[in-house]
């Protein structure tokens, strides 16, 4: 009872001067931040010309994971709704794309928004009744969804090809551009990734973003302040599912194959691991997390052929010791120490 | 009618195993708000240790006792060494650590013992027991018996011993517990130890039926989640009752509903989870938390 | 004669915010000392600092020995009982179990049964509700239970954090009467933190006034009661 009041008093006592200082430091950092972003984009765009084949495919997969993780982070990191079932939306998106391409002969380009819309609707419909569930119970419900989807996919054999799955072909570069299939896929995915990231950032930066975070931190207070918590939560669920569905659709084209067992509970758990390692409630965390879940299992295999997953598990645990708030959280702390921005304004948290 | 009773008893036997694992999950959840995803795999690993002891010629019941003790100590050490560094971290961070443990245990078990299934002996005779007209598997009855004995012992411990009281207090209100001089951190360790011990018993009871392999507890853990959901994640009694309920329901549905073969049996567990979450998320015995702002 | 509890330049902080800025105070053996102050002055933090429940700086001595740097559990074992703000009742356990937990850290367990009897004498309502779930007790009864739980330790020093909070004046008066009786009959020293300055000054021998983490006034309670500034700001007349 004493502490909060004293804290605000102390904060008020450190007057506008400290705040101005921090603000001016942030303003100075902005061109630095934009510069860094441009460098990253330039490197990303140049990548396909320096790597090829499997390596390039791995990076495409990283981008795909990043989109999925951004979707999951939107729901779990920013809005506080735990989902252990996003593998299901990934799978639904992938199958939507596969069925469109294989059964209905529709171009792969259309599959991306289509998967998004399908998952948006399903996510919203799932989110509505799930509103009453919190924390553990929502995790259980989504966990059940994750378990059920592979079974359902296998059951409707006529549409989905059953356990055998559906084989697709990799899309070729349009307009006769001198790009290999892998390169074209990479650029396509990169484009989609950039668009989705920018959309997410705009969404979270404004009033909507603040409402979303407010619901996570104290939804009763948020409601008391006029935020329609039910509507927001369902919409965020839908948008989050849409992002992950789009990632799934991209992966269908990238891997040129879909099968029910790929989209099992383990995928959902991998995605959750990705956002925690990458950085809960951050946008950049999606990229760090995607890099982790794509490459670290391979490194683990290099270290120990006999028990690679044991190494992976150990790495997971060590990561959590050193960076409990994920890579993005850790980098943020380092940034604060280096620039001395005073009282930490935790990003998005 | 006879078949019904047989199936019910059989369901109670598997239910006892679900109950043990569910109880382990709930004990840790109550104290820490964390679901230990590695619970089933820790149980699997304990069962492999038992197998090694049996291979070395140690008689069964001695092995049983030793394994329970080893599992207890193991669980305690894991909490003190692996979980303690993240004790104050956000919940999801700790969950990831338990996922890391899950993966480590499975991988090491596969490495040491290989992924080939091994038979595991049951201490109970293989001839079925006949009561009146009904035939019961001896292992089923034995498993139910063992589960009940462990549960009674645990109940007596929590209800009537000072240490049990201290553990309950530490789980409910760590701050006030510290003010009573209770070392809350160590109580957490004890909780993990007890949970691991229960898991080991579940593992040793189920291995004779499903055969020992590193992924043995996968499906069972899902049933345990269903059991804890049905009974209530905030109630140890609920976890136990939920376990038996899930076991019996799964068996009866599998027997009497024609299109649910063995593959779709898991769907029964899922259906139970969804139904409970829709109707009363806190489960049969769980308390609906009233939140005060 | 050195005091039972002595704090020197005690500092405390929550996270990055400093709340106590170098307090010095003392509790005499067998006496009742009170710390007064408005909301946010740092009173609860002071008691938490004594028990090392927050990050502290400076020195705290109990019975001559340093206790800053020890863990809360060890400090309790030295004979300091802390009745926290908001009672801290174990709501899902019975009244009896709450009391049993109070005695958990006791070094000497002889006379436990006799102590139960004595507690029930001081707080007859607790005897009636022995097997009841503690969460179903009224606010006043829970406050009594909290004090009783602290006493089961057979402490040398009792830290009381705002016992009057949320209670009707009649109930508060009763609790304060019991505290005085315990102090006089059992020789338990008391450090009382209170917002209700009038009642606290009636009970205590010595008083400190806290404002934003600093001691601004101290002296015998009787003197502070007569002080004009205190009367206007804290006693309301």
């Amino acid at each position: 009872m004493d502490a909060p009041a004293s804290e605000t008093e102390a904060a008020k006592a450190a007057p506008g001067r400290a705040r101005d200082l921090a603000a001016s430091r942030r303003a100075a950092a902005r061109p630095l931040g934009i510069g860094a972003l441009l460098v990253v984009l330039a490197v990303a765009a140049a990548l396909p010309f320096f790597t090829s084949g499997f390596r390039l495919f791995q990076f495409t997969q990283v981008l795909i994971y990043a989109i999925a993780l951004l979707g999951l982070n939107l729901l779990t990191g920013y809005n506080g709704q735990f989902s252990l079932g996003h593998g299901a939306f990934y799978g639904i998106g992938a199958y939507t794309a596969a069925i469109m391409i294989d059964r209905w002969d529709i171009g792969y380009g259309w599959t991306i928004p289509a998967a998004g819309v399908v998952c948006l609707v399903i996510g919203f419909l799932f989110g509505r009744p799930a509103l009453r569930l919190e924390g553990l119970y929502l995790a259980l419900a989504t966990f059940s969804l994750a378990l059920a989807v592979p079974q359902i996919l296998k059951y409707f054999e006529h549409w989905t090809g059953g356990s055998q799955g559906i084989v697709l072909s990799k899309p070729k570069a349009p307009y006769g551009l001198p790009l290999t299939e892998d390169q074209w896929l990479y650029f396509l995915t990169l484009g989609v990734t950039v668009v989705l990231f920018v959309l997410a950032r705009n969404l979270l930066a404004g009033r909507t973003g603040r409402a979303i975070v407010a619901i996570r931190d104290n939804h009763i207070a948020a409601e008391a302040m006029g935020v329609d918590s039910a509507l927001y939560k369902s919409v965020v669920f839908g948008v989050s599912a849409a992002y992950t569905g789009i990632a799934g659709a991209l992966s269908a084209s990238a891997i040129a194959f879909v099968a029910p067992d790929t989209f099992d509970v383990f995928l959902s758990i991998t995605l959750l691991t990705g956002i925690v390692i990458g950085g809960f409630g951050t946008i950049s965390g999606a990229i760090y997390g995607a890099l982790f879940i794509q490459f670290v299992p391979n490194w683990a295999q290099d270290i120990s052929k006999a028990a690679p997953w044991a190494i992976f598990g150990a790495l997971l645990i060590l990561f959590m010791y050193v960076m409990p708030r994920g890579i993005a959280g850790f980098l943020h702390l380092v940034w604060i120490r280096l620039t001395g921005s005073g009282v930490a304004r935790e990003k998005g948290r | 009618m006879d078949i019904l009773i047989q199936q019910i008893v059989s369901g109670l036997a598997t239910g006892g195993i679900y109950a043990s694992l569910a109880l382990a999950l709930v004990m840790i959840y109550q104290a820490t708000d964390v679901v230990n995803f590695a619970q089933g795999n820790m149980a699997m690993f304990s069962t492999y240790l038992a197998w090694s002891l049996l291979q070395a010629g140690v008689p069964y019941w001695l092995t049983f006792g030793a394994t329970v003790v080893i599992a207890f100590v193991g669980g305690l050490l894991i909490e003190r060494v692996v979980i303690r560094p993240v004790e104050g971290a956000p919940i999801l961070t700790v969950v990831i650590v338990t996922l890391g443990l899950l993966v480590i245990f499975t991988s090491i078990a596969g490495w040491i013992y290989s992924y080939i299934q091994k038979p595991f002996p049951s201490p109970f005779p293989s001839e079925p027991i006949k009561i009146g007209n009904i035939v019961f598997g001896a292992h089923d009855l034995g498993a139910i018996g063992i589960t009940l004995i462990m549960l009674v012992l645990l109940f007596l411990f929590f209800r009537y011993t000072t240490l049990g009281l201290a553990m309950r207090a530490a789980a409910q209100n760590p701050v006030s517990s510290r003010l009573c001089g209770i070392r809350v951190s160590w109580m957490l360790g004890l909780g993990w130890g007890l949970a691991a011990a229960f898991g080991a018993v579940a593992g040793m009871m189920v291995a004779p039926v499903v055969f020992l392999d590193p992924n043995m507890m996968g499906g069972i853990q899902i049933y345990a989640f269903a059991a804890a959901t049905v009974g209530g994640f905030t109630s140890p009694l609920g976890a136990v009752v939920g376990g038996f309920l899930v076991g019996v329901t799964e068996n009866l549905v599998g027997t009497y509903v024609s299109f649910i073969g063995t593959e779709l049996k898991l769907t029964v567990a899922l259906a139970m989870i969804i139904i409970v979450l829709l109707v009363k998320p806190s489960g049969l015995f769980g308390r609906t938390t009233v939140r005060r702002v | 004669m050195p005091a039972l509890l002595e704090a020197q330049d005690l500092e405390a902080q929550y996270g990055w915010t400093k709340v106590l800025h170098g307090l010095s105070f003392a509790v005499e053996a067998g006496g009742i000392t009170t710390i007064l102050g408005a909301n946010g002055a740092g009173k609860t933090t002071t008691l938490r600092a004594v028990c090392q429940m927050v990050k502290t700086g400076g020195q705290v001595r109990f019975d001559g020995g340093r206790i800053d740097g020890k863990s809360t559990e060890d400090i309790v074992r030295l004979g300091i009982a802390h009745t926290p703000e908001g009672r801290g009742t174990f709501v899902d356990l019975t009244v009896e179990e709450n009391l049993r937990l109070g005695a958990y850290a006791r070094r000497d367990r002889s006379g436990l049964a006799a102590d139960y009897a004595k507690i029930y004498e001081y707080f007859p309502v607790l005897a009636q509700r022995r097997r009841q779930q503690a969460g179903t007790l009224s606010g006043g009864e829970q406050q009594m239970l909290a004090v009783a739980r602290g006493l089961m330790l057979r402490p040398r020093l009792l830290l009381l954090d705002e016992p009057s909070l949320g209670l009707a004046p009649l109930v508060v008066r009763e609790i304060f009467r019991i505290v005085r009786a315990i102090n006089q009959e059992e020789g338990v020293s008391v450090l009382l933190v209170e917002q209700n300055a009038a009642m606290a000054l009636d009970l205590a021998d010595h008083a400190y006034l806290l404002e934003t983490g600093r001691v601004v006034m101290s002296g015998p309670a009787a003197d502070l009661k007569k002080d004009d500034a205190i009367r206007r700001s804290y006693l309301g007349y």
Side-chain angles (χ1 to χ4, degrees), chain B residues 95-109:
Chain B
V95 167
I96 299 294
V97 170
T98 66
L99 284 175
L101 282 172
L102 182 162
V103 159
I104 290 179
F105 274 115
T106 315
S107 185
I108 294 192

Side-chain angles (χ1 to χ4, degrees), chain B residues 43 46-47 50 60 63-65 67-68 120-123 139 199-208 216:
Chain B
S46 311
T47 315
Y60 184 89
T63 301
F64 186 89
T67 306
V68 170
F120 190 89
S122 163
H139 180 78
V201 171
M204 288 191 281
M205 288 295 109
V206 87
M216 169 179 86

Side-chain angles (χ1 to χ4, degrees), chain C residues 118-136:
Chain C
K118 212 183 330 182
I119 293 285
Y120 288 135
E121 253 187 68
Y122 278 117
F123 302 103
V125 69
L126 293 183
Q128 285 171 5
R129 307 202 187 289
R130 230 193 292 236
R131 297 197 196 287
Q132 232 176 288
Q133 211 187 15
T136 60

Side-chain angles (χ1 to χ4, degrees), chain C residues 62-92:
Chain C
F62 180 67
D63 210 10
R66 294 267 301 259
I67 61 173
D68 51 277
K70 284 190 194 261
S71 71
T72 310
E73 297 91 296
D74 289 330
I75 293 177
V76 172
R77 280 181 169 76
L78 289 174
I80 299 182
H82 182 157
T83 304
E85 183 191 32
R87 346 269 186 234
T89 320
F90 293 102
V91 290
D92 290 323

Side-chain angles (χ1 to χ4, degrees), chain B residues 8-281:
Chain B
I8 291 182
V9 170
S10 189
L12 286 174
T14 33
I17 293 166
Y18 303 151
S20 299
L21 206 59
L23 186 60
L25 286 171
V26 170
M27 277 206 296
I28 292 184
Y29 177 74
Q30 268 212 298
T32 59
D33 274 346
V34 171
V35 174
N36 178 13
F37 276 94
Q39 202 73 61
N41 291 68
M42 284 164 65
M44 171 272 297
F45 200 78
S46 311
T47 315
Y48 266 109
L49 291 176
W51 184 84
S52 291
L53 287 175
L54 288 171
Q55 291 293 100
V58 181
Y60 184 89
W61 288 111
L62 192 57
T63 301
F64 186 89
T67 306
V68 170
V69 171
I70 295 175
F72 176 83
V73 173
L76 177 73
L77 284 177
I78 288 179
E79 199 285 325
R80 297 272 76 204
V81 174
V82 179
I83 306 292
R84 199 203 201 177
V86 286
E87 245 171 45
I91 294 179
L92 269 189
T93 306
V94 188
V95 167
I96 299 294
V97 170
T98 66
L99 284 175
L101 282 172
L102 182 162
V103 159
I104 290 179
F105 274 115
T106 315
S107 185
I108 294 192
W111 177 44
I112 299 179
Y113 296 100
S114 98
Y115 284 89
I116 304 172
Q117 278 189 342
K118 298 186 192 336
F120 190 89
S122 163
F124 308 108
S126 45
E127 306 92 52
I129 300 179
K130 216 159 179 264
I131 300 182
N133 260 344
I134 316 173
V135 178
F136 298 113
H139 180 78
D140 280 351
L141 291 178
I144 296 177
I146 299 272
T147 308
L148 287 177
I149 293 177
M150 299 271 304
L151 290 172
V152 168
L153 286 176
L154 190 72
F155 174 75
L156 292 175
F157 169 73
F158 275 124
R159 212 26 160 56
Y160 293 111
T161 66
T162 313
L163 191 58
L165 179 62
M167 278 184 71
R168 277 193 290 151
Q172 292 172 20
N173 194 335
V175 175
S176 291
S177 299
R178 284 213 170 83
L179 293 178
C180 292
I182 297 174
R183 299 194 198 279
V184 170
S185 255
W186 279 101
M187 295 297 126
L188 227 58
L190 278 180
W192 273 70
L194 284 176
F198 263 82
V201 171
M204 288 191 281
M205 288 295 109
V206 87
V209 179
V210 299
F211 294 97
L212 191 53
D213 90 76
N215 292 308
M216 169 179 86
M217 297 298 270
I220 297 177
Q221 224 179 262
I222 296 176
Y223 281 111
F225 279 127
T229 309
V230 168
F233 255 93
T234 49
S235 161
L237 176 64
V240 172
V241 171
F244 286 117
L245 265 178
V246 170
V248 171
T249 309
E250 171 210 11
N251 235 30
L252 290 181
V253 171
T255 313
Y256 289 106
V257 183
S258 51
F259 65 87
I260 308 263
T262 24
E263 298 102 46
L264 283 187
K265 255 189 174 188
L266 203 60
T267 329
V268 175
L270 293 183
M272 289 180 88
I273 293 181
I274 304 265
I275 293 176
V276 169
L277 289 178
L278 282 176
V279 175
K280 184 172 192 267

Side-chain angles (χ1 to χ4, degrees), chain C residues 94-219:
Chain C
T94 65
V95 168
E96 215 165 26
E97 285 172 330
N98 270 264
L99 294 175
R100 251 174 87 193
L101 286 169
Y104 183 85
R106 239 153 95 137
R107 289 262 160 81
D108 97 84
R109 308 198 71 87
S110 62
L112 205 56
D115 284 340
Y116 277 113
K118 212 183 330 182
I119 293 285
Y120 288 135
E121 253 187 68
Y122 278 117
F123 302 103
V125 69
L126 293 183
Q128 285 171 5
R129 307 202 187 289
R130 230 193 292 236
R131 297 197 196 287
Q132 232 176 288
Q133 211 187 15
T136 60
L137 266 56
S138 75
E141 290 163 353
Q142 284 195 32
Q143 185 61 63
M144 293 191 193
L145 177 58
V147 176
R149 194 180 86 212
L151 291 173
M152 284 303 295
L153 180 67
R154 277 235 202 117
R156 305 206 26 220
L157 175 64
L158 180 64
L159 306 175
L160 281 177
D161 198 337
E162 300 213 39
S164 74
L165 202 62
L167 298 184
L170 228 60
V171 177
V172 178
R173 223 180 294 271
E174 176 66 12
I175 292 178
F176 273 43
R177 183 190 67 76
I178 298 176
V179 171
R180 178 185 280 117
I182 292 170
N183 169 256
Q184 285 171 346
E185 289 162 28
E186 313 289 332
V188 177
S189 318
V190 178
L191 178 57
L192 169 71
V193 147
E194 253 303 338
Q195 248 186 82
N196 187 334
M199 301 199 79
L201 287 173
D202 272 340
L203 181 67
D205 314 317
H206 204 90
Y208 293 85
L209 181 59
L210 227 59
E211 257 173 41
T212 45
R214 289 184 171 82
V215 174
V216 296
M217 208 187 284
S218 77

